Amino acid sequence: MEMKEHHSVAPKKSNLTPKAIIHQKFGKTACYTVEAVKEVSQTECPGLCIPQTGPCLYRCTLKLPELMVVSGTFTKKKDAEQSAAEIALEKLSIIPETIDLTPQEAQESLVARIAYLFSEKFLSTDHPLGGHIRATLRRKGNHCGSIPVSVIAVSDPKIFSLCKCINPEVESNPFLVLPYIVKGATKLHEFLTTSEQHIWIKKLCPYPQDIIESLLKEGGSEECIQVKAIRIPSSMEKCVEAVTLCMSLREYYLDIIANELGLEDGANVLISRNIGKASSETRLFFAAPQSYLLDRSFISGNGKETIRFEGSLNERARYLSGQDMVGDAILACIGYTRKSRDLFYEDVTVQLYHRMLLGKTPGGIYKLSREAILTAELPSKFTTRVNWRGSLPRDILSMFCRQHRLSEPVFSIISHPFKILTESSESSFKAADLGTDVIECANGTSVNACPKKSNSEMFKCEIKLLSRCKDVILLCSPEDCYKKQNDAIQNASLKLLSWLNTYFNSVTIPFDQLYETACNFSIHIFSKNLFGEILIGQSIQNCQIYAMQCNKILEPMCTTSSHDMSGNGVCNLKIEGPDSGVCPCNGSLPCINYSVYLVVDGENNKEVIEVCNEFEFEIGVGAVISYVEEVVMQMSVGQYAYFKTNLLTFDLIFASAGDSAKMLSLLSSKACCVEYEISLTKVAEPPEERMEQAFFSPPLSKQRVEFAVQHILESHATTLVDFGCGSGSLLEALLNYTTSLEKIAGVDISQKGLTRAAKVLNSKLDANPDAVVTSKPIKSVILYEGSITNFDSRLHGFDIGTCLEVIEHMDEDQACLFGDVALSCFRPRILIVSTPNFEYNVVLQRSKPPTQEEELDGQNLLQSCKFRNNDHKFEWTREQFIQWASDVAARHNYNVEFSGVGGSADAEPGFASQIAVFKREWSHEDDGQKHTDIENHYNVIWEWNSKSK
């Protein structure tokens, strides 16, 4: 590996944040106080009669010795603090300096920085390197006071930043920092000395004796401590193993690690960058190769500087750290921090090692976020934020990028007006065909300002993965569009993660094959070499030596119960307990308690691997291992299931098991299998809309809208009232169709729903009038608050009335009352009423088609069904619905026709959503003369009029 000096202009280093500058100037005397501010907002929907409270905002007050400032309001606390600091800097006339160093200037600054690190003034700071200096002063002989160069490289961020200005390649290969430090130290030859055989730097003149005595008194007892660590052999034929570092706090821990690696001097130990969180002290330690130590040009810093790693690369250590390493490595969490002058240490176990490996994969990150390694799987679909459990796809992608030392992913939101789609193009279409706006986001912050978007717009998301040097590695551009920006971001993230996971889950898929499948996921790879580096170590993870040694897993056993799932790797399945009748179905959220054991063949003892209580997941999206979901789907609440499997991989077992040594002993010497014990504690029913979407395309809600539009077109209706309009989904959708409507009204008892309806309709009618495609311009839209069982004369005699999926949310007697009030008082020319067909629930609530025997026993199947929504007060069969509609039509001189959407009238069990269309029989004495008196029982919540615009 060769290091060359770069003489091009280094990229500009970012300014310090305003808050960081305030801290430099004022330290702890700067006092930030953040308060929540709730503002009343009426700007979103002019004319709305319901006062609206805006989102919670934050304001920051910054008190300095010289002044006090108050920020504006922001949605995030940190933004308010930065704003207050920025205002203070402006008032104090402090202009932030921009650091823009040339390579030569950076080299000069590097020399000055090294001189400062070895000064007496530096010893009084809380810098982590100070702990190393104190520890080395306790060393004996020539080693006293000698500081390993690798320690300086990893302990001081400013050294690293200056070296990046000299050579940007330092970002991808941090070991290149070492030659620059040595070269800088040789320029201070009157002050410092370096070793020709060891990689350390030492002061020529010792620190004053009083300072040394003071430092030696600080902390550090003779008491022996034991720190657990992991040895990672360079040979793939050897297992990683636990080691214990025994030392006193007065010893230099790097000497102990050197001894573990077979070295005499801790200065010959090279140290990786931190692994995991930026604040973590978990690092890899390995011996500097002999060729590295004997390279005189490196030690002197003269001539051609080189770094040569000759020998067998440690692939497992390389995968963890992203840095080349040779020979065995020690993985340990130990070092000095700014938080304390004492040595910090934590145990690193075999379990933690495997969790770190797991945390470098998309699926592994999700498993760890759920603390359910042996059960959870990265879901294949993002349905709703409410149903998702664990880290969100966007957060998983960001964590994946950090684990592989990439820049934060960039999310570009592409928005466009809502467009009615045909069934064949329902799921995806190209936003480029429509006039689009793009919002680019990084780290969750809007980068480019853009106008406020209409609620009726659709969104898609593009994702860029960038290297640390901001080179584009890949672009993911799904064509699927969503009504919410967050849904677009989460689904695009999940699509990219799912594609990556296909490789991380299998060693049988070569990278070239993965590369070829990218287009199927709307992914374009810009740099095959850079992207290959991300995945280069995955074969290391999937080829652990455990898989070679521990091959005595039980062969598939024949099942002895009536639940035969042996084809799915499940054996001896037993389900115990009475059938409560409450079972999971597609879209539902079952909650389980489970335990997983390692069972030795022919023995009664079981070793616990993983226990998890109150584990909730969504059925039908792949959120758990397939065989667990299949077993849970056969259970009812209160039942217990027991089964065995041989499908778990060893990396998952070791990432879950606390006693890794015992697990390794059992797996390597005896035939074993894994046993699950599961209890189903409760089931949350899926939302009605989610359940229907799983079966119908387009969704039933869209089919109902199109049914209503068809009758509007046929009747040439100009006025429409929607009874139970809710949040205005039907009214909003109608504006996207070419109809003859001129006046629209909606009625509902929910202020929350009416508020959303007002905002949606206002944004579409005012902010985006081109989106309204009715053949005649809409003249007025009005929303009323009130019960649809009460009459209001302002809605009498409309051309068409709709009441779609409303009456089942009322008590049954109130639903019957609505039918009488609607046809005797409101008296629209046409009334369309839809409600769920209870008989169709047999289809919706089963994960598998009924058998022939079950079809013959249809009545029992129906009795086991539940309502589609917890809020439903009743659901009618076809016979009940026909009886109700026929009776109310006859009483009020209406004809009624029956139809539906979803399913077929000619096949059992009919339509999923049954519809009655009432048509008024015309007569000279009709038109409601008995309602000449004004009866205003409704409150006007919002009104829009084209004449006032």
Side-chain angles (χ1 to χ4, degrees), residues 311-322:
S312 176
L313 284 177
N314 190 324
E315 295 291 354
R316 286 178 288 196
R318 181 191 183 197
Y319 179 60
L320 268 182
S321 65

Side-chain angles (χ1 to χ4, degrees), residues 411-431:
F411 303 88
S412 298
I413 307 299
I414 301 174
S415 63
H416 53 80
F418 176 79
K419 180 180 179 182
I420 294 303
L421 308 174
T422 62
E423 181 173 344
S424 61
S425 62
E426 175 71 24
S427 61
S428 67
F429 57 92
K430 293 183 179 180

Side-chain angles (χ1 to χ4, degrees), residues 91-131:
K91 288 184 176 293
L92 294 169
S93 299
I94 298 176
I95 301 174
E97 295 180 1
T98 299
I99 301 176
D100 190 10
L101 299 178
T102 65
Q104 182 61 38
E105 291 170 336
Q107 287 177 347
E108 294 172 0
S109 297
L110 177 63
V111 173
R113 181 65 181 175
I114 293 171
Y116 169 69
L117 294 178
F118 284 87
S119 68
E120 295 175 17
K121 181 181 178 181
F122 175 74
L123 288 179
S124 62
T125 68
D126 59 355
H127 195 286
L129 187 59

Side-chain angles (χ1 to χ4, degrees), residues 83 130 175 177 284 353 475 490 493 558 578 686 772 901 943:
S83 175
F175 288 135
V177 172
L284 283 160
Y353 164 76
L475 171 68
Q490 301 297 352
S493 299
C558 59
V772 181
V901 293
E943 186 172 6

Side-chain angles (χ1 to χ4, degrees), residues 121-149:
K121 181 181 178 181
F122 175 74
L123 288 179
S124 62
T125 68
D126 59 355
H127 195 286
L129 187 59
H132 289 272
I133 294 175
R134 292 191 297 274
T136 58
L137 289 175
R138 298 190 184 100
R139 303 170 87 189
K140 305 298 182 181
N142 293 332
H143 293 161
C144 180
S146 59
I147 308 298
V149 176

Side-chain angles (χ1 to χ4, degrees), residues 77 354 405 502 701 736 859 916:
K77 293 180 181 180
H354 282 278
R405 304 199 67 80
T502 58
S701 57
N736 299 302
Q859 191 60 38

